[in-house]
Structures are given as C-alpha cells and as structure tokens.
Amino acid sequence: MSVSAEAKSIDELAAQPWSREVVADEDGVFVASVPELEGCFADGDSAEEALANLEQVLREWLELAVEEREAIPEPRRQSSELYSGRFSVRVPRSLHRALSERAAAEGSSLNQLITVLLAAGLRSDAPTAGDVSRPERERAGTDLHEDIAADAAAGTRSSIGALKGIATFLRNRGDLNFACLMYGVAAERIAATEGAEVASNELGTAAALARRHSRMRLAEALWRESLRRDPTNLRSSSGLGQLLHHQGRYREAVTYLEAPSAIDNYALLFLGWSLLLEGGASDDQYLTQRGRLSIVKALQDWSYQSRDVSQREAWLRHVRRLMRLGPAWRDEAEGLITFANANSGWPKIDVGEVAAGPDALTPEAHGQAATG
Amino acid sequence: MSSRQDVDCERARRALEEIRQNRRSQTATSLAEAAEALGYEIDRGRGKGSHWWAKQPNRPRFPIPGTTRRPVSVGVTTRILGILEKVFDDVCKR
C-alpha cells in the first residue's frame, strides 16, 4: 500500500498523518524521525527543535521521492493510530448525571458503562444521527465485538478498558462467572501497568460482586488472588474472612479477620463470632472470651449514635443470636440493648421484642453455627 | 550542485570502519565521502544550507545535517552508518 505521489501536491503529502518519533542520543542531542520513511530524520538541541527541523526534511524527502517517481509508503497512523481509543464528548448535564448514577448503582466505572452502552447502541437498529442503516454499517465492516476483542487481546494498557467493558457486558447479560473471570484478567494487566496494589483492589471488587450473587467459590478464589497480590489489602481480607465465617470455617476466618478488625467494625463482629464458635467447638475458654469481648464491642460501636433505623433490625438479629446461646449470654444481650437504648437514635428496643424475632445472620450460617 | 560517484567498495569499507570507530568525530564531509564511495551523489542545493542530501536511485536517501554542526551528532551519525552498512552489504558483499 502506498500513497499516490502524482495525485498529491507536496503540501498534501506532507500533511498526511505521518508518525513522529523523537529520541535523545547518547550525548543528549535529540533525533526526530518519520519511521515510515527510511532516511527521514533530523536532529536538534531540544525535542521541539528536532521536530521543527524534521518538517523541512520531510518535505524535501517527499519532493525527492516525487522527482524520482518512487512509491511513498502509507502513513502508519492512517489505519490504526488515528483511533487512540480516547475522545471527549459534550453531553447534557442531566445525561452525565444519569450515566454516573447508573454506573454507581451497577458498581462499574462511568467509562465501562459508556463503553457497553455505545457498543450495544451501535449493534442495535435504533436510528442514529447520521441515519446510517444497519446493512450499510455491516458492509463497512463494523463489528464491535471483534474490535473490542482485538483491543482486549492487545497486551497494552488500553486493553484494560476493553477487558472491563467485556466484563460489564457479560455481567449485564447475567454471565456472572465469566464477568468475574474477565475482571480477573483485567487485573492481570493492571498488575503489569499500575502495580499489585491496584490489581488487588480490582480483584477485591470482582470478588465482592461474585459474593453478592452467591458465587462463593469464585468469590473466595478472587479474594485469595487479591490477597496474593497485596497481602495488606484489609478490605479483601475482611471480605474473605466474612465469607469463610459464613461457611463455618471459623478458624480460617479468624486469620483473615484479625487485621481488618482494627478498622472495620464488621470484621470485628465476625471475628468475634468466629472466635466464639471456634472456642465453643474446641472448648477453649480463651477463644470464647475473646469472641465475647469482640462481639460486645462491635455491637456497641454499631449502635452508638446510629440514626439509621434500617440498621436496627440487622443489629437486633445479632443480639438475638447472642441471647439464644444461653442464660449467661442473655445478660450480655440485655446489656447491649440497654446501651443501644441510651446511645442510639433508634426507636426504643424491648427485650421481649428481641427474644421473639428471627435469628441472626443468614440461614445457612445459622445452621452451621448451630452445629459448631 | 551534485556529483554522481562510482562504487568503490574498498574505500567504502575503510570509511565505514572509521565512522564505526569514531562516531563522535564525524563531519558532514566525512559522511558524504563514505556515501559517495557507495555510489551516492550529494545534493548540496536543498536544505537552505543547513544540510545536504545523499541520494541514489533505489537506495534510501538521507540528509547529512553536519553543515551547521561540527561534528555531526552521534544519533544522526549512527542512523547514517546504519543505512550505509546495509547498502555496503548489498553492493559489496554479494
């Protein structure tokens, strides 16, 4: 493929989207070049000077090619580099807000959401501003799936957005397992470009998504990978610990909940339950006592100055569960209720109301806890 | 303002060896001589005096910017050397 030199003036040829490269040589002098045109280079004491000199050299290089009736190579940027994968668009503020809210509701980034919506929009038969019909688009070779897959396959930083876009697309279709897997693949690329800490957060987010949709094994695998990347990720540590607790794996849960319990009240609460249940199963009074103290502290902190009434029922389920462990625990539970009545913004709690309500935690956890 | 040269592989070999060994001390003239030994003609009529052009049909052309910089920068000398070595291999090692 080459540019038809005869059909174009030197001005037109020079205005083609030729690539430019600037490198500093061993002595700090800058050399600018057009990679497509062998022998088209110029130097300068600064990158700007080298590029300015290159413009003159480029024109002369093209003049000589035309004089010699040589075929001129195609500008490399013509085909692919013109499409960087980045552009800015002006939209109404209301649309911007609606997109942001939906992204937040779906737990995705604005970029991911817009990528998926644009891809879906291009594939649909909905009318467009240019009123281009679908058959025309297909004749033009528009295949968004292929384009996004090609971007995703590239081992570059730009592949991360494509991979996350595919993941969001799969999630919206209900393919949760593959969506989470794709987020995991994106995290691999993130690790290479942005570091282990960012990749760990990405894996933790994917794990939380899997957990919300009851993909327990997948969530566990993602959280473990997150912690392999960054063992200090307290959020992932807490998530994995709570998951293990709900599966009745209390001893393991304790190892993951210890560190985040210092800053995460939920981690402290589930650490307490895991210690309590593990202590009960192994008849270890020390563990039981540590568990009791952790639960009491977590539930006190939870209720302290809380005005969120929707939290009241969840809190009560934990207190109710304590109450049912035996007479000694009933006193502990009543102490917590007294504390909450004095310090929370919730409607007054009646001890009788607590005793009659449903038990704490999830049904499966309750079953496992009972056996533990 | 240009002159066409016949290929002189022995002169070219010596000139390229000299450039390889002393890349920081090449002038426009020494680079032009090496190019001429490989059949290039030097066009001194372009570039508003800031550089010359080494050109030859069916070979890569290149500018020699040394007329304002003495010696020619290492980066440019290395690029010119690369082009001339390819031409040398093609012309003199067949």
Side-chain angles (χ1 to χ4, degrees):
Chain A
M1 199 70 179
S2 64
V3 175
S4 171
E6 291 170 2
K8 292 188 164 101
S9 70
I10 297 300
D11 284 338
E12 286 174 316
L13 285 170
Q16 294 280 310
W18 302 106
S19 307
R20 306 284 197 285
E21 279 182 7
V22 184
V23 293
D25 73 13
E26 303 143 52
D27 296 338
V29 175
F30 290 84
V31 181
S33 63
V34 176
E36 299 96 316
L37 307 177
E38 189 175 9
C40 186
F41 50 77
D43 62 359
D45 290 330
S46 66
E48 293 75 21
E49 184 186 328
L51 283 167
N53 292 339
L54 181 65
E55 292 313 302
Q56 176 67 22
V57 167
L58 171 62
R59 287 186 64 84
E60 290 171 11
W61 195 104
L62 294 167
E63 276 175 16
L64 287 163
V66 170
E67 286 174 15
E68 299 288 337
R69 294 182 176 277
E70 284 180 10
I72 298 172
E74 176 98 356
R76 193 196 295 166
R77 291 172 61 203
Q78 189 83 57
S79 53
S80 61
E81 291 187 17
L82 284 178
Y83 305 107
S84 67
R86 286 171 176 269
F87 57 92
S88 61
V89 181
R90 276 196 308 278
V91 297
R93 286 171 188 237
S94 57
L95 177 58
H96 190 171
R97 187 180 64 204
L99 286 165
S100 298
E101 287 172 355
R102 180 160 168 189
E106 293 186 3
S108 69
S109 71
L110 186 59
N111 193 72
Q112 287 169 19
L113 177 68
I114 290 173
T115 301
V116 171
L117 291 176
L118 285 175
L122 273 175
R123 278 195 308 278
S124 79
D125 284 320
T128 62
D131 197 24
V132 180
S133 71
R134 183 172 184 150
E136 281 173 328
R137 291 201 303 275
E138 285 174 352
R139 275 199 299 277
T142 300
D143 184 343
L144 259 292
H145 276 138
E146 185 182 350
D147 287 348
I148 293 172
D151 282 350
T156 61
R157 188 178 179 144
S158 63
S159 67
I160 295 168
L163 284 166
K164 288 167 78 170
I166 292 169
T168 305
F169 175 76
L170 290 167
R171 189 180 72 182
N172 291 345
R173 273 189 9 173
D175 291 339
L176 254 296
N177 298 336
F178 288 119
C180 290
L181 175 65
M182 204 55 71
Y183 283 127
V185 175
E188 284 285 331
R189 302 280 167 84
I190 290 169
T193 57
E194 296 176 44
E197 197 176 320
V198 184
S200 175
N201 286 337
E202 192 69 33
L203 286 158
T205 304
L209 174 69
R211 172 71 181 85
R212 278 201 302 277
H213 290 84
S214 302
R215 265 65 168 188
M216 301 304 183
R217 276 181 298 165
L218 184 55
E220 183 180 342
L222 288 163
W223 266 319
R224 286 191 187 281
E225 180 61 12
S226 168
L227 289 168
R228 189 183 71 79
R229 298 268 179 200
D230 179 9
T232 66
N233 187 330
L234 295 182
R235 207 167 160 186
S236 288
S237 193
S238 176
L240 178 57
Q242 290 180 48
L243 176 78
L244 293 169
H245 169 88
H246 285 301
Q247 292 179 336
R249 296 153 70 181
Y250 306 122
R251 189 183 294 268
E252 262 189 286
V254 166
T255 62
Y256 289 101
L257 290 168
E258 290 272 17
S261 67
I263 57 164
D264 176 347
N265 204 44
Y266 273 107
L268 180 64
L269 180 62
F270 284 99
L271 172 67
W273 279 116
S274 291
L275 287 167
L276 188 73
L277 294 167
E278 180 63 25
S282 58
D283 201 19
D284 185 330
Q285 288 301 311
Y286 172 72
L287 289 184
T288 305
Q289 183 64 5
R290 271 193 66 205
R292 184 185 71 80
L293 292 172
S294 298
I295 293 170
V296 168
K297 180 169 189 325
L299 289 175
Q300 281 181 342
D301 286 353
W302 189 353
S303 64
Y304 185 71
Q305 292 191 343
S306 172
R307 297 189 178 281
D308 185 351
V309 179
S310 67
Q311 294 286 309
R312 181 177 180 268
E313 189 51 42
W315 183 89
L316 279 176
R317 282 199 294 272
H318 284 276
V319 175
R320 193 172 293 127
R321 192 180 183 200
L322 264 186
M323 206 175 255
R324 291 176 182 172
L325 287 173
W329 297 100
R330 188 181 175 91
D331 292 343
E332 198 77 73
E334 287 181 6
L336 284 166
I337 291 167
T338 304
F339 180 89
N341 282 335
N343 294 287
S344 77
W346 296 334
K348 187 171 184 305
I349 300 166
D350 182 73
V351 175
E353 170 198 2
V354 180
D359 206 344
L361 308 182
T362 58
E364 70 269 23
H366 173 56
Q368 285 158 343
T371 58
Chain B
M1 293 186 61
S2 64
S3 58
R4 186 176 293 278
Q5 301 288 317
D6 292 328
V7 173
D8 182 339
C9 286
E10 182 52 31
R11 188 160 68 95
R13 188 190 61 73
R14 286 198 306 271
L16 293 181
E17 186 61 28
E18 156 64 17
I19 295 170
R20 269 193 291 273
Q21 290 182 2
N22 299 294
R23 286 186 304 141
R24 282 190 169 78
S25 54
Q26 299 304 313
T27 62
T29 304
S30 63
L31 291 170
E33 283 174 0
E36 284 176 329
L38 284 167
Y40 274 88
E41 65 175 298
I42 306 301
D43 183 343
R44 295 176 171 82
R46 298 176 199 264
K48 300 172 185 172
S50 66
H51 56 266
W52 302 332
W53 277 95
K55 57 184 189 177
Q56 178 176 191
N58 303 317
R59 301 285 181 206
R61 72 186 70 80
F62 56 88
I64 304 176
T67 49
T68 56
R69 183 188 298 281
R70 295 180 188 279
V72 176
S73 68
V74 171
V76 165
T77 298
T78 302
R79 282 170 188 258
I80 291 174
L81 179 63
I83 291 171
L84 292 179
E85 283 179 329
K86 274 201 287 187
V87 174
F88 180 84
D89 288 348
D90 195 36
V91 174
C92 299
K93 286 191 174 176
R94 277 186 171 178

